[in-house]
């Protein structure tokens, strides 16, 4: 189905192929509610007549929803277009875009969201609450279940109307008009008597009563979400689809015109589910074959997104990977992160190892905060990665792919800042960061490690390079991370960070996926520190899942929180940081930060901690590296110093700290031999 036809079909009520029973009573209830309510909920099971009742009332703007509309970019594009307020410059799916819609809605406007039960994305629910609270819109939601919206205030103020199954039930007068006709297309009242046996009834008494050729045709037609003559001829291998569709149209057998022009059709939802259930239980191989055929037909016709979904449902992962590889860049640049997430999650590890896709999607997982998926994909592609590293390109002995940007996260999260910084330097020195996105993410990752290591000025300098990498303004997620790094480094140096805070807030409003504390930790910490209640806000961030698995950032956030608490709460957070630091092989400057916080909250510094008050800034930096497993020559390379300068600094540090060598600088270990130079 062409994109324009698909959008048009979603933005109008279904075109019925059989006359509907008039429901003036229900239309009057809806009209009355629209005059006094901000939200109208129409709740009832499948087949209870919700869509039919709303289409007869015909209030104005309309969006029919399905599973793909859990993508906030798609969802809000449809809403904006339905309301006639499209064209806002803010990215669709962002809070700023929703705020712009709210400001441009005309008083008295009504929007119907049909089949809202498909929407499970918490971000869309939250943004719909924003729209309800900020606009004069009357929102009508038709759903099988009550949506998880914050409607308490509307209920208390009398601006919420709920019409349920009892309101949808046919009255005695309406039932008399129905007569012997038990079933009505796209809203059949027989649900009252069937009590959940709709599938059995539809298959045995509706589908089962048809001629054999129509039965076979409908079993195939139930597989794609929508179909036309060309698709059905391809799937059935015959040329009589036009004739069969004509017969179904004449008999009004649960057929809906999807485009209103008589080309594209779909089966009524309950009927389609019943037929799919029959296929799944009696002919699963046939179901798989039809899905594969439909995927290839849609791919040839240019509808790659429909093809991806069908290929995944058929278990045709190789074909799905090929399509996703072709579409990844375009969908990512369009902000379709949630749709990509849904498709990529369906791929097994075996489909990733031999594909480029497995090496290209890591950026997506980190932006979505799906770090377990990122790690799974890194593991699944590790063999391919090692092969690429062992066969470097000519002239580049350290060939590293763009996925190395996200591999940098792993040593840092596991407490090895030394390795994280070293790998980061390798990556920044390579010539393979060829896109602004990859180059920016590499700098963000290395700047984060530098900040945690205590090298605040170096972190700021690296983050400051990001804007020049882009031909225009960097995208919102990149700006959030950049301003967060700059601002938090300034805060730790007791400098003014107001501009960075403003930059973070402005960019957050532009993000299509709301940032989390794990996705962009510095930015979220900076916002918490600049709030009226920094201690409570920081504690809230630390409650988010994942901080305990990120050893360095978890320790760092706990130490910051300890600075904003009174004893004994501060000592509790300090103990939490100590527990994380104890498992870090190379925490570098986090040890000094821990000691500073311990002194500030009145907690005695443990005997294993090293006093560093007499060391210069340069000596402190060298000390961080001396605690690592790097050789002195490697430390010199990392710090851009000569080997003799490093040796001189090492001797001075040993003398000032009254130790005899590097072993004594690593109190948690014993028996380490002095690395050779």
């Amino acid at each position: 189905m062409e994109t324009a036809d698909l959008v048009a079909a979603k933005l109008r009520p279904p075109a019925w192929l059989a006359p509907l029973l008039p429901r003036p009573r229900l239309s009057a209830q809806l009209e009355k509610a629209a005059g006094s309510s901000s939200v109208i909920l129409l709740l009832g099971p499948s087949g209870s007549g919700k869509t039919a009742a709303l289409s007869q009332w015909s209030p104005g703007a309309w969006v029919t929803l399905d599973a793909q509309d859990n993508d906030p970019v798609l969802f809000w594009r449809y809403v904006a277009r339905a309301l006639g307020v499209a064209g806002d410059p803010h990215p669709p799916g962002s809070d700023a875009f929703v705020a712009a819609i709210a400001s441009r809605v005309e008083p008295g406007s009504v929007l119907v969201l049909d089949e809202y039960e498909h929407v499970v994305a918490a971000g869309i629910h939250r943004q719909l609450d924003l729209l309800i609270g900020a606009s004069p819109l009357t929102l009508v939601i038709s759903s099988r279940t009550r949506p998880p919206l914050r409607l308490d205030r509307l209920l208390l103020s009398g601006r919420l109307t709920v019409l349920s199954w009892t309101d949808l039930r046919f009255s005695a007068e309406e039932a008399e008009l129905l007569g012997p006709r038990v079933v009505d297309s796209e809203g059949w009242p027989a649900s009252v008597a069937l009590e959940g046996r709709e599938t059995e009834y539809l298959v045995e008494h509706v589908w089962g009563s048809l001629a054999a050729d129509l039965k076979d045709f409908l079993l195939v037609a139930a597989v794609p979400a929508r179909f036309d003559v060309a698709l059905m001829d391809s799937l059935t291998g015959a040329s009589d689809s036009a004739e069969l569709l004509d017969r179904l149209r004449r008999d009004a057998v649960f057929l809906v015109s999807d485009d209103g022009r008589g080309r594209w059709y779909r089966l009524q939802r309950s009927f389609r589910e019943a037929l799919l259930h029959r296929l799944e239980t009696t002919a699963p191989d046939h179901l798989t074959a039809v899905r594969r055929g439909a995927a290839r037909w849609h791919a040839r016709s240019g509808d790659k997104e429909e093809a991806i979904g069908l290929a995944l449902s058929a278990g045709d992962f190789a074909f799905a990977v090929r399509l996703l590889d072709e579409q990844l860049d375009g969908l990512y640049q369009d902000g379709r992160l949630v749709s990509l997430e849904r498709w990529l999650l369906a791929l097994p590890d075996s489909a990733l190892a031999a594909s480029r896709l497995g090496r290209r999607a890591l950026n997506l997982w980190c932006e979505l905060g799906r770090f377990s998926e990122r790690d799974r994909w890194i593991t699944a592609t590790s063999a391919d990665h090692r092969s690429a590293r062992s066969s470097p390109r000519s002239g580049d002995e350290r060939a590293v792919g763009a996925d190395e940007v996200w591999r940098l996260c792993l040593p840092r999260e596991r407490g090895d800042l030394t390795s994280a910084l070293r790998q980061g330097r390798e990556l920044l020195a390579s010539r393979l960061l060829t896109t602004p996105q990859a180059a920016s993410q590499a700098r963000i990752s290395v700047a984060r490690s530098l900040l945690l290591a205590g090298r605040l000025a170096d972190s700021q300098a690296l983050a400051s390079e990001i804007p020049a990498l882009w031909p225009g303004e960097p995208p919102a997620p990149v700006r959030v991370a950049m301003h967060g790094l700059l601002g938090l480094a300034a805060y730790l140096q007791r400098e003014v960070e107001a501009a960075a805070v403003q930059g973070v807030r402005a960019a957050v409003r532009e993000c299509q996926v709301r940032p989390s504390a794990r996705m962009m930790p510095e930015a979220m910490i900076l916002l918490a520190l600049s709030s009226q209640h920094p201690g409570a806000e920081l504690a809230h961030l630390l409650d988010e899942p994942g901080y305990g698995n990120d050893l360095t950032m978890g320790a760092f956030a706990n130490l910051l929180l300890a600075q904003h608490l009174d004893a004994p709460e501060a000592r509790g957070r300090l103990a939490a940081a100590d527990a994380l630091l104890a498992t870090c092989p190379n925490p570098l400057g986090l040890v000094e930060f821990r000691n500073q916080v311990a002194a500030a909250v009145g907690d005695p510094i443990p005997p294993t901690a090293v006093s560093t008050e007499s060391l210069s800034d340069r000596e402190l930096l060298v000390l961080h590296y001396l605690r690592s497993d790097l050789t002195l020559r490697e430390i010199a390379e990392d710090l851009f110093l000569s080997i003799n300068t490093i040796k001189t600094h090492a001797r001075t540090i040993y003398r000032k700290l009254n130790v005899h060598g590097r072993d004594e600088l690593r109190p948690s270990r014993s028996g380490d031999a002095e690395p050779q130079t």
Side-chain angles (χ1 to χ4, degrees):
M1 190 171 184
E2 295 179 4
T3 301
D5 291 336
L6 174 60
V7 173
K10 294 180 70 69
L11 301 187
R12 63 165 167 262
W16 310 104
L17 298 181
L20 296 173
L21 182 72
R23 306 295 302 274
R25 174 184 58 84
L26 197 51
S27 294
Q29 286 180 281
L30 290 166
E31 188 67 30
K32 180 181 178 181
S36 60
S37 301
S38 297
V39 175
I40 302 171
L41 299 182
L42 190 60
L43 307 178
S46 177
S48 58
K50 301 184 297 297
T51 301
L54 288 173
S55 63
Q56 289 184 71
W57 176 44
S58 189
W62 181 289
V63 182
T64 300
L65 300 166
D66 56 39
Q68 290 195 33
D69 298 324
N70 281 286
D71 186 329
V73 175
L74 286 181
F75 180 92
W76 289 109
R77 277 180 178 162
Y78 292 142
V79 169
R81 183 160 176 176
L83 290 170
V85 294
D88 189 83
H90 298 292
S94 66
D95 287 0
F97 187 85
V98 177
I101 293 176
S103 68
R104 296 163 63 184
V105 171
E106 295 291 334
S109 298
V110 178
L111 170 67
V112 173
L113 298 179
D114 193 27
E115 301 190 21
Y116 192 80
E117 67 271 8
H118 287 296
V119 178
V120 296
I124 291 178
H125 300 321
R126 179 186 63 80
Q127 290 181 323
L128 202 56
D129 284 325
L130 295 178
L131 180 69
I132 293 168
S135 75
L137 179 72
T138 295
L139 182 65
V140 183
I141 296 178
S142 167
S143 178
R144 291 184 179 183
T145 57
R146 190 182 182 95
L149 302 175
R150 303 179 64 180
L151 303 175
D152 295 348
R153 291 185 180 180
L154 295 180
L155 178 63
L156 293 173
S157 62
R159 294 186 293 122
L160 172 67
T161 297
V162 180
L163 300 179
S164 65
W165 171 238
T166 57
D167 300 288
L168 290 164
R169 188 190 302 270
F170 278 72
S171 66
E173 294 78 9
E174 291 167 335
E176 185 176 350
L177 290 173
L178 216 77
R181 193 164 51 126
V182 180
V183 177
D184 186 75
S185 179
E186 193 82 10
W188 48 290
S191 328
V192 180
L194 289 173
E195 297 180 347
R197 293 181 288 114
E198 299 94 336
T199 297
E200 177 186 344
Y201 176 85
L202 287 170
V203 170
E204 298 299 328
H205 297 281
V206 178
W207 176 81
S209 65
L210 298 174
D213 55 349
L214 288 178
K215 289 167 65 176
D216 292 341
F217 181 85
L218 286 170
L219 281 176
V220 175
V223 176
R226 53 194 61 82
F227 53 87
D228 69 349
V229 170
L231 173 56
M232 292 304 299
D233 279 347
S234 174
L235 295 180
T236 60
S239 57
D240 59 350
S241 297
E243 175 192 344
L244 294 172
L245 274 171
D246 283 339
R247 290 166 58 187
L248 291 171
R249 276 197 300 264
R250 286 196 303 268
D251 296 338
V253 182
F254 293 97
L255 198 64
V256 179
S257 175
D258 208 36
D259 61 355
R261 298 183 304 178
R263 178 190 169 189
W264 285 92
Y265 298 90
R266 62 182 170 88
L267 298 183
Q268 186 267 350
R269 181 174 173 184
S270 299
F271 189 44
R272 179 177 182 239
E273 290 175 354
L275 295 181
L276 284 174
H277 177 73
R278 180 177 181 84
L279 277 171
E280 289 167 352
T281 54
T282 64
D285 292 342
H286 182 54
L287 175 60
T288 297
V290 174
R291 282 173 170 161
R292 285 176 179 250
R296 280 159 172 73
W297 187 91
H298 278 291
R300 291 193 302 271
S301 301
D303 190 353
K304 300 295 180 65
E305 293 186 31
E306 189 73 19
I308 290 168
L310 286 162
L312 289 171
S313 63
D316 192 353
F317 298 123
F319 188 52
V321 164
R322 195 183 88 192
L323 294 172
L324 280 165
D325 198 35
E326 294 172 359
Q327 300 297 306
L328 182 68
D329 291 339
L331 291 167
Y332 181 85
Q333 291 167 11
D334 195 32
R336 300 283 306 283
L337 306 187
V338 177
S339 291
L340 280 170
E341 175 188 28
R342 186 164 58 91
W343 290 322
L344 294 173
L345 281 172
L347 293 173
D349 291 357
S350 58
L352 308 178
S355 73
R356 288 193 316 152
L357 182 66
R359 308 279 299 280
R360 298 172 60 212
L362 300 179
N363 186 64
L364 169 73
W365 295 127
C366 291
E367 286 197 28
L368 290 170
R370 298 295 296 267
F371 294 93
S372 61
E373 281 301 308
R374 178 207 62 190
D375 296 348
R376 178 174 78 90
W377 282 52
I378 287 176
T379 301
T381 61
S382 59
D384 184 40
H385 166 69
R386 285 193 298 269
S387 175
R389 291 294 299 270
S390 63
S391 303
R393 297 187 304 178
S394 176
D396 188 356
E397 295 182 357
R398 294 180 301 179
V400 280
D403 60 323
E404 281 290 343
V405 172
W406 296 118
R407 293 178 194 274
L408 295 178
C409 300
L410 301 183
R412 189 201 74 241
E413 292 173 1
R414 294 164 185 166
D416 189 356
L417 289 175
T418 301
S419 295
L421 289 172
R422 184 167 182 78
Q423 291 176 24
R425 281 200 54 212
E426 278 193 22
L427 184 58
L428 292 175
S430 74
R431 298 191 298 272
L432 297 180
L433 295 174
T434 56
T435 67
Q437 183 72 34
S440 297
Q441 293 296 350
R443 283 163 175 77
I444 289 168
S445 186
V446 178
R448 179 167 297 149
S449 296
L450 288 168
L451 183 140
L452 293 170
R455 296 171 57 178
L456 305 180
D458 291 339
S459 177
Q460 287 175 304
L462 199 57
S464 298
E465 296 177 5
I466 291 173
L469 300 173
W470 297 83
E473 187 177 45
V478 173
R479 284 184 281 127
V480 171
M482 177 188 71
H483 288 303
L485 285 161
L486 293 172
L488 192 52
Y491 172 86
L492 293 170
Q493 296 175 88
R494 295 179 173 80
E495 298 173 356
V496 178
E497 70 280 352
V501 173
Q502 293 174 1
V504 168
R505 286 177 176 155
V508 164
R509 280 175 51 83
E510 297 293 319
C511 287
Q512 287 141 328
V513 177
R514 193 169 180 82
S516 72
R518 281 220 67 196
M519 289 163 60
M520 301 171 186
E522 297 83 13
M524 299 299 103
I525 289 172
L526 183 64
L527 292 180
L529 291 171
S530 62
S531 69
Q532 292 183 342
H533 305 287
E537 292 297 323
L538 283 170
H540 177 71
L541 290 180
L542 279 166
D543 287 339
E544 288 197 11
Y547 259 109
N549 296 325
D550 187 341
L551 300 182
T552 52
M553 188 57 68
F556 178 70
N558 272 291
L559 292 172
L560 282 173
L561 178 54
Q563 291 182 316
H564 291 83
L565 298 174
D566 297 326
E569 289 84 0
R571 291 191 179 93
R573 289 295 178 174
L574 187 64
D578 284 345
L580 294 171
L581 288 172
T583 61
C584 293
N586 291 301
L588 298 183
L590 277 175
V591 174
E592 278 65 46
F593 185 42
R594 183 263 175 222
N595 291 345
Q596 293 170 15
V597 173
V601 302
D603 195 67
I605 297 176
T608 55
V610 178
S611 173
T612 58
E613 294 180 354
S614 62
L615 300 181
S616 67
D617 290 342
R618 174 64 72 180
E619 289 164 350
L620 277 172
L621 181 59
V622 174
L623 172 62
H624 298 330
Y625 279 87
L626 289 174
R627 287 174 170 160
S628 74
D629 292 329
L630 296 180
T631 66
L632 296 183
R633 189 171 301 283
E634 289 170 332
I635 294 173
E637 291 176 359
D638 274 12
L639 296 180
F640 301 100
L641 298 173
S642 71
I643 181 65
N644 289 330
T645 301
I646 292 297
K647 289 180 177 178
T648 299
H649 282 310
R651 286 194 293 268
T652 303
I653 290 168
Y654 298 157
R655 177 179 54 78
K656 287 185 176 182
L657 299 181
N658 193 28
V659 298
H660 298 89
R662 295 179 69 179
D663 288 350
E664 297 180 45
L665 299 179
R666 294 180 288 216
S668 61
R669 307 183 193 183
S670 61
D672 288 346
E674 179 76 6
Q676 297 300 309
T677 61

